[in-house]
Amino acid sequence: SDAEKPVLCPVTLGFGNEYDLVECSRCGVMFVHPMPSDQVLATFYSAEYFDFERHKFEGRGRAFARAYLRGSPAGRFLDVGCATGFFLNGVMQQSGWEVAGVDIGESAVRFARAELGLDVRHGELTDAKFPSGHFSFIHVSNVLEHTREPHGVLRECRRHLAPGGVLFLSIPNGFVDARDLVQFYKDEGVPALSKSGHIFFFPERTLNLVIAEAGFEVLSAHTFGIRRGLRILGLYPRSGRWKRPYRS
């Protein structure tokens, strides 16, 4: 919508920048305004951001392959936002599928290529130059909320999927995610750090809308991590340290 969007609270990505968290009155999506620059995002996603535990994430990749790829003929698997490639490596170890990845973190991509020997490419999916219809399975976990063009990411995923291919999308509950930012500002009077670098916050109805617009049909949907939602609704006790990750 082109209509003026109400400001919910100020937020920051650290390093002295500040943005407004706004909400679209038509579809309910919330996002930071104005969109962060390339330089701000590059600073936020420095090498320290990708300091992941190898055994933990490779284990997750193996578990994912057992749950979602077992029994399927070996194909091509793409991880969008693959970071250092540990998850992707686990998928390959368990499934025998041909794997590839893409990420905006230059140091993470360098590591995945040099240390793990993976086909991981730097930049957005549009920069990766994979052929259209190349992948049987595309994994996008905790990525869409970080991107400045979520519609474009989903459309690119659709273009890169082979006929009958599957997109696995995992994303935070935008309503829950944004409420903590608003509550922190109300309590502390200073902008909350969008602690994981989230710049879009999707309620369920908006997420379903953009998924359909990108040409996907939802086959199944699941919710997990319900305690956090109960906490922000006041139905489950909060930790006394809940504000710590939101301090810039």
Side-chain angles (χ1 to χ4, degrees):
S1 169
D2 294 329
E4 186 174 348
K5 296 167 180 62
V7 177
L8 303 178
C9 68
V11 297
T12 180
L13 291 176
F15 313 106
N17 56 58
E18 189 173 312
Y19 305 91
D20 289 329
L21 178 64
V22 301
E23 181 177 13
C24 177
S25 56
R26 179 179 294 175
C27 77
V29 72
M30 293 158 280
F31 56 96
V32 302
H33 178 78
M35 282 285 123
S37 67
D38 288 343
Q39 183 178 359
V40 168
L41 293 178
T43 304
F44 189 90
Y45 297 116
S46 62
E48 290 80 7
Y49 184 89
F50 299 100
D51 188 17
F52 299 148
E53 299 175 47
R54 176 166 186 166
H55 296 299
K56 178 178 178 180
F57 280 85
E58 284 187 345
R60 286 183 181 179
R62 291 191 292 270
F64 186 92
R66 288 192 295 269
Y68 293 98
L69 303 181
R70 179 182 288 174
S72 301
R76 298 189 184 99
F77 183 100
L78 175 67
D79 189 15
V80 178
C82 65
T84 47
F86 294 146
F87 173 88
L88 197 57
N89 207 39
V91 169
M92 181 180 65
Q93 291 169 355
Q94 182 65 40
S95 67
W97 280 43
E98 181 182 334
V99 301
V102 59
D103 201 283
I104 64 170
E106 187 175 359
S107 61
V109 168
R110 224 173 22 243
F111 179 91
R113 294 173 66 91
E115 301 299 325
L116 303 179
L118 297 174
D119 179 8
V120 171
R121 306 183 186 187
H122 178 241
E124 306 285 353
L125 183 53
T126 50
D127 305 321
K129 308 301 181 187
F130 292 116
S132 297
H134 190 63
F135 296 98
S136 307
F137 200 109
I138 297 181
H139 176 263
V140 184
S141 180
N142 296 319
V143 169
L144 202 64
E145 65 276 15
H146 294 263
T147 179
R148 291 177 296 191
E149 291 287 346
H151 280 88
V153 171
L154 288 175
R155 283 195 295 266
E156 277 296 291
C157 287
R158 184 68 186 86
R159 184 174 71 82
H160 282 83
L161 268 181
V166 172
L167 170 72
F168 179 96
L169 176 67
S170 178
I171 188 169
N173 181 313
F175 171 76
V176 171
D177 219 11
R179 280 284 289 267
D180 275 345
L181 298 175
V182 174
Q183 190 61 50
F184 181 93
Y185 178 70
K186 285 181 178 178
D187 291 351
E188 303 295 320
V190 295
L193 175 69
S194 185
K195 59 188 175 72
S196 299
H198 299 174
I199 56 179
F200 269 93
F201 303 81
F202 290 95
E204 184 180 2
R205 65 188 179 97
T206 320
L207 185 60
N208 283 327
L209 176 66
V210 295
I211 287 170
E213 286 179 350
F216 290 103
E217 174 190 358
V218 178
L219 300 179
S220 65
H222 308 277
T223 297
F224 58 93
I226 194 169
R227 282 186 182 178
R228 186 175 174 213
L230 295 177
R231 285 189 179 105
I232 70 108
L233 294 173
L235 301 175
Y236 196 85
R238 277 189 184 273
S239 162
R241 297 175 295 174
W242 77 268
K243 292 179 183 176
R244 183 177 296 177
Y246 297 96
R247 299 190 188 280
S248 177

